[in-house]
């Protein structure tokens, strides 16, 4: 039996991901709407060789964020991309500011 060479990474398991149907079922959003949000760039996906959509589990939380912003701010889905980008930038700036304060 040969030992793997140094630096070789062997995956322990396939990464967990959700199909379009399972993602739609978990989030309670129709698959056509999920496809639309993917087209708008609001959800991150991977595609397999057949072109099927696959979602990371973290995208379930992202869908909840999209729905919350859509309902509370009465924004169109097309405008949510800009709002979400701005909120992410604000959060990054606040984290950076907290880090710089703690370094002092």
């Amino acid at each position: 039996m040969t030992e793997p060479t140094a630096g070789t990474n062997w995956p322990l398991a396939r990464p967990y991901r959700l199909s379009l149907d399972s993602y739609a079922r978990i989030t309670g959003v129709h698959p056509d709407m999920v496809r639309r949000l993917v087209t708008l760039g609001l959800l991150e996906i991977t595609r397999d060789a057949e072109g099927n959509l696959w979602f990371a589990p973290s995208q379930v939380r992202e869908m909840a964020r999209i729905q919350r912003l859509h309902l509370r701010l009465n924004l169109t889905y097309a405008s949510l991309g800009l709002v979400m980008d701005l909120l992410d930038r604000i959060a990054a700036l606040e984290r950076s500011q907290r880090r710089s304060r703690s370094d002092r």
Side-chain angles (χ1 to χ4, degrees):
M1 184 162 81
T2 61
E3 301 247 349
T5 59
T8 302
N9 293 321
W10 299 98
L12 298 176
R14 264 186 15 215
Y16 179 68
R17 57 188 186 164
L18 302 165
S19 68
L20 173 62
D21 290 334
S22 60
Y23 181 78
R25 189 173 46 257
I26 289 169
T27 60
V29 177
H30 193 277
D32 291 339
M33 176 56 79
V34 173
R35 284 187 196 94
R36 181 175 172 211
L37 296 174
V38 168
T39 301
L40 290 170
L42 298 178
L43 295 170
E44 294 179 18
I45 54 107
T46 56
R47 291 187 187 266
D48 62 15
E50 291 84 33
N52 298 317
L53 302 178
W54 294 95
F55 298 84
S58 63
Q59 293 302 291
V60 173
R61 183 174 32 180
E62 196 64 15
M63 177 61 82
R65 181 181 184 205
I66 290 167
Q67 291 174 319
R68 189 174 56 250
L69 290 171
H70 173 70
L71 293 173
R72 287 187 182 167
L73 300 179
N74 197 24
L75 295 171
T76 65
Y77 288 112
S79 63
L80 280 178
L82 174 64
V83 171
M84 292 170 61
D85 183 50
L86 291 172
L87 290 172
D88 290 342
R89 289 180 185 201
I90 290 168
L93 287 170
E94 288 175 342
R95 279 191 305 274
S96 174
Q97 189 176 26
R98 277 193 298 268
R99 267 188 249 123
S100 68
R101 284 183 186 161
S102 66
D103 290 343
R104 293 181 191 163

